[in-house]
Amino acid sequence: MSIKSLTGKLSTQTSDPLYFLSVAPARVIRGSQVLQQAADEIARLGKRPLVIAGENTFNKTKSQLQPLFKSNTLEVAKAFYSPDCSEVSLETLRQAAEEHNADVIVGVGGGKALDTSKLIAHQLHLPVVTIPTSAATCAAWTALSNVYSDAGAFLYDVSLARCPDLLILDYDLVKTAPQRTLVAGIGDAIAKWYEASVSSGDSEQTLIIAAVQQARVLRDILFQKSAAALQEPGGDAWREVVDASVLLAGVIGGLGGAQCRTVAAHAVHNGLTHICGHGSIHGEKVAFGILVQLRLEEMLQNNQLAATSRQQLLKFYSEIGLPRNLEELGLAEVTIKQLQQAVEIALEEKSDIHRLPFKVSPEQLLAAMVSTTAPTDAKDSINRLPVRVINQEVEL
């Protein structure tokens, strides 16, 4: 499929004369060993659940999920998405749900599994339960699903009719996930402040003001508690950071809607998925995208606050292990042609990057992407920035 045909499917949340908000799941249960009561809670929504998960995740967590599968009140079937929340996978899972006569969908896993489950439920007009197995995203909360190609390239997003009917956050289950997933979740969550403040910081709308301020609170919590959380998985700070990444990040998008959800950081993520594939995870690319967005604000607006914020984030990323540049994102051998492809996707007409209060050219975005660790006193960086990509020096 050509780049032109791929970008034509990208979608930004479009404006509508009617302002719909899906703020929160109907019910949230959180705590340790809460999966013990999952069956009874799910039975309130349906008796024939289809559990959708990734096969690897399911095999690693099936012991924790036994209370669900051994329930006398439920007739449970399972199906695996693979390799992504893609159109091929969605078609297969719709058939599985229909063959089981499912009356409720239960998503178990990370963002891809949960997005898949929410979208299947939306398409089949069924209730949906989300059970996150990591704190890598706020997908368990939101009324939004991202659709990717089988190779992991972002294609488009879908606004759903409502948030999940039930969210079950079991800390003991989340604790089994690799620490890398929580680090990525921190990156995805902290983006809420940098994106919401630049797109909506001057808004006079009550709910958007509330969302932006919640994003500030979220940022501060993550700055203060992330290091301690990573040192003691399962501890008090860890739980607070999990809540921040899975729950509070979702609140912000729920209250503020699309205007407070994604801007340049997520647009850069979307572009990078076309050259990264499955080599890095969502929050890592978004975290890198924050640095790119701040770099654009520095270069194009001479914004010294953005410069200071970028240096603060670079220090924070170094402490917790988020990528600060293309090399740390696993793209040390990327070519200029590949970066130009990512830039083209990120700047497509419907891209979220156009929520920035200034226009960005392909040359400017490329310059920002290769200079995320530049010193704040870099002079004339947009006009003459040496870029080394695969031992090939290019002047922009």
Side-chain angles (χ1 to χ4, degrees):
M1 186 178 293
S2 69
I3 295 299
K4 184 175 181 180
S5 62
L6 283 173
T7 56
K9 301 191 74 172
L10 288 168
S11 68
T12 301
Q13 305 301 301
T14 55
S15 59
D16 193 289
L18 296 176
Y19 189 47
F20 293 98
L21 284 178
S22 296
V23 177
R27 186 172 173 83
V28 177
I29 302 174
R30 65 188 177 102
S32 293
Q33 300 184 356
V34 293
L35 282 175
Q36 299 296 326
Q37 53 186 299
D40 291 340
E41 294 296 332
I42 293 170
R44 299 172 187 267
L45 299 171
K47 305 299 183 183
R48 297 183 60 83
L50 175 68
V51 173
I52 295 176
E55 187 170 4
N56 289 337
T57 297
F58 181 82
N59 289 335
K60 291 176 181 178
T61 60
K62 59 185 177 182
S63 61
Q64 289 96 334
L65 297 172
Q66 283 308 302
L68 177 59
F69 283 88
K70 290 184 175 180
S71 169
N72 294 324
T73 60
L74 299 175
E75 294 185 42
V76 184
K78 67 178 184 295
F80 301 131
Y81 81 93
S82 179
D84 224 309
C85 181
S86 65
E87 292 176 348
V88 172
S89 185
L90 289 165
E91 182 178 356
T92 300
L93 291 168
R94 282 194 299 270
Q95 293 175 358
E98 291 168 356
E99 290 171 2
H100 180 58
N101 292 320
D103 55 7
V104 58
I105 303 297
V106 179
V108 178
K112 302 293 178 67
L114 301 181
D115 276 3
T116 302
S117 303
K118 291 185 297 182
L119 187 48
I120 291 292
H122 172 78
Q123 293 171 337
L124 298 179
H125 307 288
L126 296 176
V128 63
V129 179
T130 53
I131 304 177
T133 59
S134 76
T137 73
C138 59
W141 183 283
T142 59
L144 186 73
S145 288
N146 291 328
V147 179
Y148 297 79
S149 73
D150 287 340
F154 174 81
L155 297 181
Y156 58 92
D157 55 40
V158 181
S159 289
L160 309 177
R162 63 182 185 274
C163 292
D165 299 271
L166 173 64
L167 190 167
I168 300 174
L169 177 58
D170 191 313
Y171 295 122
D172 295 323
L173 181 61
V174 173
K175 188 180 174 182
T176 66
Q179 183 162 277
R180 179 187 178 187
T181 60
L182 179 56
V183 173
I186 293 167
D188 190 35
I190 206 168
K192 291 290 188 291
W193 163 249
Y194 298 95
E195 293 190 294
S197 60
V198 75
S199 67
S200 305
D202 295 331
S203 175
E204 296 183 0
Q205 298 181 45
T206 297
L207 293 182
I208 292 179
I209 292 170
V212 172
Q213 292 308 311
Q214 287 294 325
R216 185 198 300 271
V217 170
L218 174 58
R219 177 203 64 183
D220 291 347
I221 289 171
L222 295 175
F223 275 151
Q224 294 165 9
K225 299 186 177 183
S226 291
L230 295 171
Q231 289 173 4
E232 188 183 353
D236 290 343
W238 180 88
R239 290 190 179 208
E240 297 304 326
V241 170
V242 168
D243 282 354
S245 300
V246 178
L247 307 180
L248 182 53
V251 171
I252 294 159
L255 277 179
Q259 296 177 71
C260 292
R261 190 176 292 129
T262 54
V263 189
H266 277 79
V268 169
H269 160 276
N270 295 344
L272 288 172
T273 62
H274 288 256
I275 63 174
C276 284
H278 296 101
S280 55
I281 53 182
H282 176 82
E284 293 170 341
K285 290 187 282 287
V286 171
F288 172 78
I290 304 170
L291 299 176
V292 175
Q293 177 178 302
L294 291 171
R295 190 77 180 110
L296 287 170
E297 294 177 65
E298 287 178 71
M299 296 190 305
L300 304 185
Q301 294 189 311
N302 195 28
N303 187 325
Q304 295 306 301
L305 179 58
T308 301
S309 296
R310 182 171 61 87
Q311 294 302 320
Q312 182 184 35
L313 277 181
L314 287 170
K315 182 176 183 295
F316 179 64
Y317 285 12
S318 180
E319 291 171 351
I320 69 170
L322 281 169
R324 297 167 296 176
N325 51 41
L326 289 167
E327 182 178 1
E328 292 179 2
L329 196 59
L331 291 172
E333 300 300 312
V334 69
T335 66
I336 286 291
K337 184 176 181 180
Q338 288 174 314
L339 286 179
Q340 288 171 334
Q341 177 184 351
V343 165
E344 182 180 347
I345 299 290
L347 288 173
E348 196 272 340
E349 182 181 357
K350 296 179 181 180
S351 170
D352 295 319
I353 201 169
H354 301 302
R355 292 200 179 99
L356 287 172
F358 51 86
K359 292 187 179 298
V360 179
S361 72
E363 295 77 15
Q364 290 164 342
L365 181 55
L366 182 57
M369 289 175 68
V370 298
S371 64
T372 51
T373 57
T376 55
D377 60 352
K379 301 292 186 181
D380 199 23
S381 57
I382 187 62
N383 294 320
R384 192 174 182 81
L385 178 68
V387 182
R388 186 168 294 279
V389 185
I390 306 193
N391 300 318
Q392 179 182 32
E393 193 140 322
V394 178
E395 278 193 356
L396 300 177

